[in-house]
Amino acid sequence: MALSVEKTSSGREYKVKDMSQADFGRLEIELAEVEMPGLMACRAEFGPAQPFKGAKITGSLHMTIQTAVLIETLTALGADVRWCSCNIFSTQDHAAAAIARDSAAVFAWKGETLQEYWWCADRSLDWGAGGGPDLIVDDGGDVTLLIHEGVKAEEAFEKTGKVPDPASTDNPEFQIVLTMIRDGLKANPKKFTKMKERLVGVSEETTTGVKRLYQMEANGALLFPAINVNDSVTKSKFDNLYGCRHSLPDGLMRATDVMIAGKVAVICGYGDVGKGCASAMKHAGARVIVTEIDPICALQALMEGLQVLTLDDVLSVGDIFVTTTGNKDIIMVDHMKKMKNNAIVCNIGHFDNEIDMLGLEKYPGIKRVTIKPQTDRWIFPETKTGIILLAEGRLMNLGCATGHPSFVMSCSFTNQVIAQMELWKEKASGKYEKKVYVLPKHLDEKVAALHLGKLGAKLTKLTKEQSDYISIPIEGPYKPPHYRY
Amino acid sequence: MALSVEKTSSGREYKVKDMSQADFGRLEIELAEVEMPGLMACRAEFGPAQPFKGAKITGSLHMTIQTAVLIETLTALGADVRWCSCNIFSTQDHAAAAIARDSAAVFAWKGETLQEYWWCADRSLDWGAGGGPDLIVDDGGDVTLLIHEGVKAEEAFEKTGKVPDPASTDNPEFQIVLTMIRDGLKANPKKFTKMKERLVGVSEETTTGVKRLYQMEANGALLFPAINVNDSVTKSKFDNLYGCRHSLPDGLMRATDVMIAGKVAVICGYGDVGKGCASAMKHAGARVIVTEIDPICALQALMEGLQVLTLDDVLSVGDIFVTTTGNKDIIMVDHMKKMKNNAIVCNIGHFDNEIDMLGLEKYPGIKRVTIKPQTDRWIFPETKTGIILLAEGRLMNLGCATGHPSFVMSCSFTNQVIAQMELWKEKASGKYEKKVYVLPKHLDEKVAALHLGKLGAKLTKLTKEQSDYISIPIEGPYKPPHYRY
Amino acid sequence: MALSVEKTSSGREYKVKDMSQADFGRLEIELAEVEMPGLMACRAEFGPAQPFKGAKITGSLHMTIQTAVLIETLTALGADVRWCSCNIFSTQDHAAAAIARDSAAVFAWKGETLQEYWWCADRSLDWGAGGGPDLIVDDGGDVTLLIHEGVKAEEAFEKTGKVPDPASTDNPEFQIVLTMIRDGLKANPKKFTKMKERLVGVSEETTTGVKRLYQMEANGALLFPAINVNDSVTKSKFDNLYGCRHSLPDGLMRATDVMIAGKVAVICGYGDVGKGCASAMKHAGARVIVTEIDPICALQALMEGLQVLTLDDVLSVGDIFVTTTGNKDIIMVDHMKKMKNNAIVCNIGHFDNEIDMLGLEKYPGIKRVTIKPQTDRWIFPETKTGIILLAEGRLMNLGCATGHPSFVMSCSFTNQVIAQMELWKEKASGKYEKKVYVLPKHLDEKVAALHLGKLGAKLTKLTKEQSDYISIPIEGPYKPPHYRY
Amino acid sequence: MALSVEKTSSGREYKVKDMSQADFGRLEIELAEVEMPGLMACRAEFGPAQPFKGAKITGSLHMTIQTAVLIETLTALGADVRWCSCNIFSTQDHAAAAIARDSAAVFAWKGETLQEYWWCADRSLDWGAGGGPDLIVDDGGDVTLLIHEGVKAEEAFEKTGKVPDPASTDNPEFQIVLTMIRDGLKANPKKFTKMKERLVGVSEETTTGVKRLYQMEANGALLFPAINVNDSVTKSKFDNLYGCRHSLPDGLMRATDVMIAGKVAVICGYGDVGKGCASAMKHAGARVIVTEIDPICALQALMEGLQVLTLDDVLSVGDIFVTTTGNKDIIMVDHMKKMKNNAIVCNIGHFDNEIDMLGLEKYPGIKRVTIKPQTDRWIFPETKTGIILLAEGRLMNLGCATGHPSFVMSCSFTNQVIAQMELWKEKASGKYEKKVYVLPKHLDEKVAALHLGKLGAKLTKLTKEQSDYISIPIEGPYKPPHYRY
């Protein structure tokens, strides 16, 4: 696509695939609203007070229908919003179109190149003359990374006059980031520095981004406060677990139509995501084998009747391989060439380095046959057999299906809204330092409570005597911080 | 679409949506072959002998990728084939294109009108001057019905000169059938009579078609032998059960992206299809309520922890309603107007009369909003709330997703191939009268055996002593005819 | 125990372990009645008419609390009853005591020797001068076998003067039977002949007994009509499946207290019993491996995510081995010596020849350590490791626990009551020949219906139009005879 | 029982039910050892160094077979041990006998009165002239409570000369404690004070005891260091969850033989214990309804397809009621009188105040019928219907069955051994203050690792590059402290 910003009749900037899909997007947004009681309750409770009045929010998070409801909750609470997706395949183009037309500046489409991806990220940060953003909603931490790298480059440039050298890294994606920073540096040598000075904070959505934040905090490199939304119970124990339980089979079915029953599914990693994936495969009639490094998670898998082996043990046995680790180099090309013909290989972790895509692409004589977008068969020359690789190793549930369903995203995104409100409310109080925080338990419990009515649940209430007996307030919080659910 | 027959460069007739999708279809057919060991084993075992040499086979069965592998198994065994779909929404256009281009005369596309549907059926029977078909593969019995109605009309016309009167029925679809027969009658007054005289037999795929056949047999109206493939164990206890367990959530997800966990799913009917549906919903985290007329099936549901109530009891509780009964008038418009906003209503039974589509369409002031093809929201004027109706009340797994996966269809279709071979082999022997037959158990067991290797299973073999002790031959059949599995 | 018949104060004969347990038995019988709605409904519906007036019924069926409710249903309907157990370990002594004291002549205790077992069987047939029985309730067919062997011996004796020779068989149990017949022959050379002439028929409870009956029917050897209760849907698809799903873990827990989660359970046979066992183990967190001879059942196991291998493949992997086949020689001593230390080996099929007890006992240098009754550790001399063998290879759910729970036995036993009533009602009509019959479907459905209310279920009723459309009577039966449920 | 201490021939003190059961206990202990790899690994790894040499350990923890293996692990590591049970019904008498005969001073039997219970606790603390204990293993905190109350009384007595007044409390059990302290005070006015001065620390097993410890820590009342074993992941997420999943159905079956399938099970509380209970009931075929105060746990239940309602909503619907809350006054007599006839009511939480036993006993005209020990039917005078109450409201899995199986207790108890070793090793270092500690994660992971081999699992090992990438040491710990598993 030509990388030029377009404008709506009202003057709002955007770049999406096809504006004519906006009506379709709007219909699906309306359906999603019924399934997202937490976000709708935020609109009802906080909308009148316009708590985000004056706040400029940049978001980098899969531009789906569910995210559209999040964005319009932020705008309903008074925010100005610019948005990009955090994955090249995860945008739903009708969602992007509806938001671009109606609510916020969107730069996102399904099937971006990496070049395009970072251009969109940069646009989402481009608040023009007035300056901004004030707040960031991040997923995986790419926008946070961009700002941190930008600041680093600007500081170096100021001190030494040197610009970043893309050739200093092997990583092709990071070369793009450095090039982009380098190319902007002379024209605007304080762009990121001004940005970080204004920034009130970031709320981060996912395990991978959180891990980066804690590393930056540990290194003293974090430039602004961060709220770790991922580790709200109502996020990590719901979205990661039940979301993936839903979206893994969804992605497999849409991409391959394969019968799951009777097959051997190998789940690499048995954290929350892996647990959701394993549960889905087991319940669809597959035999599940887990690989793990952590003996506790391994023992959990065993208690559920799953086998725990190493990947090498099961290469010739597995029909479906799923990476969920958050680590890199899980399934290498040497693994893949030993698999059965038409074994399915896919990743549901945040980054695309769990599967050795580079090794695959560089394998001498390998042949790639695209069955349909995001479903490729890679054929090894020696055996003429192939594996089926989904979404080019990226998040298969977003690349091959539509990601997590609205209801569970409502839990996650209600945490986001609350985190953003908290950061904004405390922008001047000094409550939040340049550290990583989690939301207090009573807010976590509130998020859950907002989702019970839709499912017809009725809570029991402690009596005064019971409350005294177990030293728990009648209104909660009900558990100590270390409680594991 | 303009209803005119087209021809390939080799002169084969067809009518499909888009011939340019043939390559895509071919790729998916090749993937499916790996998942359909029973059909591929038939090609290997019987192909060389060309058992269908000279046989003209008409098929009326969902024109999907899996069916494509069936068709090409029939042609690999020597048959000439013409095909139509048995449902207006179930064709996969790329499958139709690939078969039309490469293997057989196909008349099918996704989204036929009823008029077009019956035109396609008629084309599939039109073998031209040479005459035909010799054999029929039917699913739901529409082609069988057409021939029976045609013969009836021709007999009446010969006796009385009267032609069928479409106005004699309220059923709009049956009016189309009668009109079609009437319009062809004068030009070709013996068309169906000649057809039935030539016909060696039909093999019928599904519960609904089988029910019709037994009724015709009971009334002495059956015009040719029929093999009931549905009641092969390897069909009804696999395709109906495990197929639907796979395809119900697939259809729901593709059509609505709804979170199934936490919802209340109401499954009308707890036969094989209902059991598969209930299992899928339960395992996806829904609470399942079953409606049943049969106390035995009801008690089975209870033993699985499901609640058994009447539809009226649960209208305001259900989030997802699925009909699986094979009966008519299950969910009426008066039921639908009492449901929750955005309750999902769909049918996975063969015919579209389980849900009261007519009542819905005629409801005064109702508004239909099409979210996307096969996903409509119907909004009642009194409440402004709506239900979401899938596939216009037709088979939602074929209308909204891609039907059953290859592996389980390989079981069903291997039965079809064996049934067709059996009919053709015995065409002159008089073994089969104008009755309904099921395949003998040793063939049923053979179908199963052909599917074990792919899943890595190893069978135990009886010793001679064990065989004697329980009076079961070492090579099977292993169970008495009444065994229920 | 001294084998002498005792008498109650009212003169009824009995032989039980401990009459002082009668009060405890009565309490448990009263609890069971609440859980057995089918039997209680029979008492309410048929009790007033006393349909069994004058009938003398001999029963050979595990003398448990549930059977006690069956017996008292038969007596409530007017019958005179004598009873023995059909397994040396299955009697619950408090149940036997309560029935002996209050209702019927009982000869049964937990832990009979084989000698005692057949003495009890003989007593149950000993109706004294008045003659009897008129009807038999059999489970496994031992009483039926005894009569058939008795008649055979009497016929041979009459013709040739020869008596049966116990040395003619290797089977130690059959030697006991022949000895018993021989010893009675001279004193009463027409005992069994008179018995069979009077006998109206037998209703048989279980797969194994039914198999014997069909073999006798096929050989023309069956001496009186038989109703196959086992193949009522409400028996085989409930008692065999759900009963074993309940009682296998129950038996394992009471016998060994072993943690099932994380273990590998090997289930030999995947019929109804095997399906129930596999489901129980899977749901308790075990990894389940199935062995099968029948490819259809094997494919069913695969569709549930279970592995299908041969016993030899899994000897060193399995933690728990369960035989469910109805065949003999499933787990041999050579298998057992290759198992892990403390692998648990048990049988839930009717007879004790699935596990090679003889081979185990004769193994040179083997050592048996009885942990507690029905739980033995057998230690092999070579390895000093041992297996844990339950209930000496007999039905472990009855030997180590209390058999199937009341509710599911109510389904089975309501079929028994109905079968007995049917035989007795038609005793003079000639309706039943010397063949094996199953109950008609409407009675099967009635049994189910009697059990729905207790579980809070509500059935849907067909409308007249629906009934016509699918040609099924509003009141049922709802399914064709071949339907598999 | 006469409350007098007995002595073995070697002079060790004890009081158990029946010393003749020691051989049986020994056999079961030997079986359990095979199932407790963590404890056996401790013996192998640490035994030679005799780390507990000189340590006197008092334990108050259910005196079962599994605990016997724990005790003999402590003694194998050099400790001197005295033991009592922490529940009046939980002792397995054969286990107590074997330990008393062979290894440690035991004061415990099944069915103690409360008076006897506290006498046993006092004996376990009575180390005679040499003084002791040095360490405490506690479960529920009763021994810890006794020492704290004792010290409080001694301090008051020293200051004011006043002795505790049993009449100062309504709680009959606490009256016994105060009486016992009072009666000992004059003879030995520094008994508990000396004890606490010597005490190195306590390791506490369960949620309830831990809650007490944190309250004491918060109040500054804790007299010695405490390690919270309950909140090791390998304890609370295994024992509490998988242990109860095993032992709830076990207890129900042994106590009542009730068919669980088809029933409605109401689980009060959806913490780890409640999750295990709900899973067991669901998998046994029950319909499960949960009551909760915590919206997060409630939402988890919903995601598993369970209904969440209040107890009042389901009184007339439930067949089985289980309390798992750790709170008091959950099921009151007014609830019980509204239940169905023969509804089963039981508690699996630590203390017996979840069910209103007092209210039941005092209900005017109520009648108690003991079916068998620990299984009572309580009949209300108004309706003549009754409920079935298990284990007099105490832990039903220990009262009616044998508690948790060995394998999962091996996880818990390996944590105990490690905690005791840690306390003893650091007795002089000052590392542990008068606070509550949890074990560090690497020890938690070690406990898990010790249990993998028995189940045939193989762990994956991080590469150096992977370890660097995610900043996790190759040898662990693998998760941040807040990780929830």
Side-chain angles (χ1 to χ4, degrees), chain A residues 212-377:
Chain A
R212 284 182 177 180
L213 289 171
Y214 280 114
Q215 289 173 359
M216 286 194 279
E217 180 186 3
N219 302 338
L222 191 59
L223 298 174
F224 35 79
I227 292 186
N228 164 3
V229 165
N230 180 70
D231 287 307
S232 290
V233 186
T234 47
K235 201 281 175 179
S236 60
K237 297 285 275 189
F238 287 83
D239 188 350
N240 303 14
L241 178 67
Y242 301 115
C244 291
R245 188 177 70 175
H246 179 105
S247 65
L248 173 64
D250 193 13
L252 284 172
M253 286 167 170
R254 295 200 208 204
T256 70
D257 290 316
V258 77
M259 179 103 180
I260 297 167
K263 296 300 194 309
V264 174
V266 178
I267 310 296
C268 300
Y270 198 67
D272 287 320
V273 171
K275 285 177 173 75
C277 290
S279 171
M281 292 296 96
K282 178 182 178 181
H283 285 134
R287 182 157 69 89
V288 176
I289 302 173
V290 162
T291 73
E292 248 303 339
I293 58 165
D294 181 334
I296 297 180
C297 295
L299 196 56
Q300 289 184 303
L302 291 161
M303 291 295 104
E304 297 299 342
L306 311 179
Q307 216 169 350
V308 178
L309 293 170
T310 69
L311 189 57
D312 283 313
D313 294 327
V314 297
L315 291 172
S316 64
V317 168
D319 297 291
I320 300 167
F321 293 84
V322 187
T323 57
T324 78
T325 68
N327 205 335
K328 67 172 186 177
D329 298 344
I330 304 304
I331 301 184
M332 306 306 288
V333 68
D334 280 348
H335 293 130
M336 290 186 264
K337 60 190 278 202
K338 292 178 190 153
M339 291 176 181
K340 283 187 198 176
N341 185 30
N342 285 4
I344 297 168
V345 178
C346 60
N347 167 48
I348 199 167
H350 189 81
F351 282 122
D352 67 341
N353 55 358
E354 304 210 14
I355 298 171
D356 179 19
M357 290 309 299
L358 202 64
L360 201 61
E361 282 156 19
K362 289 187 173 169
Y363 192 87
I366 201 157
K367 193 175 146 203
R368 171 180 176 174
V369 178
T370 297
I371 311 293
K372 58 187 176 187
Q374 276 83 62
T375 307
D376 295 294
R377 188 161 183 256

Side-chain angles (χ1 to χ4, degrees), chain C residues 311-324:
Chain C
L311 188 57
D312 284 313
D313 295 326
V314 298
L315 291 172
S316 64
V317 169
D319 297 290
I320 300 167
F321 293 83
V322 186
T323 56
T324 79

